[in-house]
Amino acid sequence: MKSSVEPLKARRIYLLLRDRIVAGDLPPGGRLPGEPALAAEHAVSRVTVRRALDLLEKEGLVQRKPGSGTFVHDTRSVRPIVADLSNVLSHLIDMGRSTDVKLLSFGYVAPPEAIAESLGLKPGERVQRSVRVRLIDGEPFSYLTTHVPEWLGLTYSEAELAARPLLELIERSGVKTERATQAINATLAGPEPAAALDLEIGSPLLTLTRVVHDPSGRGVEHLHALYRPDRYSFHMDLVRIGDDGERRWSPALGRPRASDTTKTDKNKAGEKPTRGSRAIKQRS
C-alpha cells in the first residue's frame, strides 16, 4: 500500500513546487529548501521529496548542484509559443520556417468515420496521414496528426513534408484555403505522444482539432494537435462592442499585437527578432 501512495505524494509535492516556480513565488536562481525541510513541511520521507525534485529537474525547472542545493532554473529565455486565436490561417507558413519538424510516420490509409465526415470524403476515399513533432530551440512542443484527402496528398512527397510546412504544400498544389473551424480542449498524454514530447504518460496537454476548407467548402486538411502547456499557449485580443446594456467582448480582428508591431519595426530596421520577443503563430 505504501509503495503505491509514495509516488502520489511525490507528484503532489512536484505540482505544488511547480506552481510556485511558474507563478514566480520561487524566483529564477533562488534556492529551494533542503530535502529535510521539504520532507518535514509535507510530512513525507526524503525519498519522496527526492522523487518530486527529480520530476522538476526532468522538466528543466530546477538545477541540482551537489553540495550546494537545488536552484530554480532561469527559464525566462525559453518563452512559450503564443498562438493568435483571432487569426487562424495567417502567418502559419512563417511559423513553419521558424521551427523544426520531425516526421514520425507517413502513409495512405482509410480514415476514421469522423474524419471522413469532417472532410466531406466519399465512401472508400483514402487520406494521406502523417504524424509530426514540432520543435523550437531543439525542444518538442507539439505532436501533430494530419489527414489530407488522397488526391491532395499525392501532390507532395514524404521528403517534402519533412522539410516544408503542410499548408505551404497544400497551397502549392493550387488549392486555396479560405476558412477553418477549430476546437480547443485538454487531455492527458498517451504513451506515443508522451514519448515524443518528452513527458510522462498522463501528463496534461492542450489539444486542438482544426478542419481547413477551400472556397467551395471542401475539406482539405484535418489536424489533431497536442501541445505541451508549458511551451505553448493560446492568445486572443478582445474589444468591447455593442450598445449600452448589450456590450460584449468580440475578437479584435486585424489589430496588430504589441509583439507583432515590435517584430515588424525590427525587420524594417534590418534586425532579426530575438527568441524572447517574437510571438509565433499556430500552424499545421
Side-chain angles (χ1 to χ4, degrees):
M1 182 69 174
K2 184 178 180 180
S3 61
S4 63
V5 172
E6 288 300 314
L8 295 178
K9 290 183 177 180
R11 185 158 187 84
R12 179 176 178 274
I13 296 171
Y14 150 75
L15 291 172
L16 289 171
L17 292 174
R18 185 185 187 282
D19 286 346
R20 293 178 63 188
I21 292 173
V22 173
D25 296 335
L26 294 172
R31 185 178 184 275
L32 268 64
E35 290 181 7
L38 287 172
E41 178 183 352
H42 298 283
V44 297
S45 67
R46 291 184 62 177
V47 172
T48 299
V49 169
R50 202 168 294 124
R51 287 176 176 172
L53 296 178
D54 286 342
L55 293 173
L56 290 171
E57 186 176 36
K58 182 178 180 180
E59 196 171 334
L61 293 174
V62 301
Q63 183 178 12
R64 300 162 86 175
K65 299 179 180 180
S68 299
T70 302
F71 297 84
V72 178
H73 185 60
D74 189 351
T75 59
R76 289 172 294 185
S77 61
V78 185
R79 299 174 62 87
I81 294 171
V82 179
D84 190 348
L85 282 178
S86 64
N87 201 350
V88 177
L89 292 180
S90 73
H91 303 299
L92 300 188
I93 295 175
D94 287 343
M95 179 177 169
R97 291 170 177 163
S98 300
T99 59
D100 298 317
V101 68
K102 182 187 299 183
L103 182 61
L104 301 183
S105 69
F106 181 99
Y108 292 87
V109 300
E113 183 178 348
I115 292 178
E117 182 178 350
S118 67
L119 291 173
L121 301 180
K122 298 176 182 178
E125 190 173 355
R126 298 197 309 168
V127 293
Q128 190 285 301
R129 179 184 183 274
S130 66
V131 178
R132 292 166 293 157
V133 173
R134 189 156 287 279
L135 308 94
I136 188 162
D137 297 336
E139 300 292 339
F141 70 88
S142 68
Y143 182 89
L144 312 172
T145 303
T146 53
H147 292 82
V148 173
E150 182 176 22
W151 63 266
L152 182 54
L154 291 172
T155 64
Y156 55 83
S157 66
E158 180 176 353
E160 287 178 315
L161 184 59
R164 302 175 66 177
L166 176 56
L167 188 64
E168 180 180 292
L169 296 173
I170 289 175
E171 295 186 332
R172 184 192 67 177
S173 71
V175 171
K176 181 179 180 182
T177 56
E178 183 174 85
R179 65 180 181 88
T181 58
Q182 65 181 13
I184 298 171
N185 213 316
T187 189
L188 301 177
E192 293 183 5
L197 295 173
D198 195 22
L199 292 170
E200 289 191 345
I201 295 174
S203 296
L205 294 173
L206 296 172
T207 176
L208 178 146
T209 301
R210 180 194 305 144
V211 182
V212 180
H213 303 270
D214 68 6
S216 70
R218 178 177 53 178
V220 295
E221 178 196 4
H222 182 285
L223 165 70
H224 180 68
L226 298 172
Y227 298 103
R228 286 187 54 143
D230 59 330
R231 295 176 181 167
Y232 194 90
S233 63
F234 294 104
H235 172 98
M236 177 180 284
D237 288 323
L238 302 173
V239 293
R240 292 283 281 171
I241 64 172
D243 299 327
D244 292 341
E246 296 184 359
R247 291 179 62 77
R248 62 188 184 278
W249 291 109
S250 179
L253 299 177
R255 295 191 175 208
R257 295 168 49 196
S259 56
D260 293 335
T261 302
T262 301
K263 178 179 176 180
T264 301
D265 292 342
K266 285 186 177 183
N267 287 344
K268 287 182 179 179
E271 300 177 16
K272 293 184 177 180
T274 63
R275 170 67 183 93
S277 67
R278 73 174 184 241
I280 304 180
K281 311 300 181 183
Q282 54 185 322
R283 70 166 302 281
S284 61

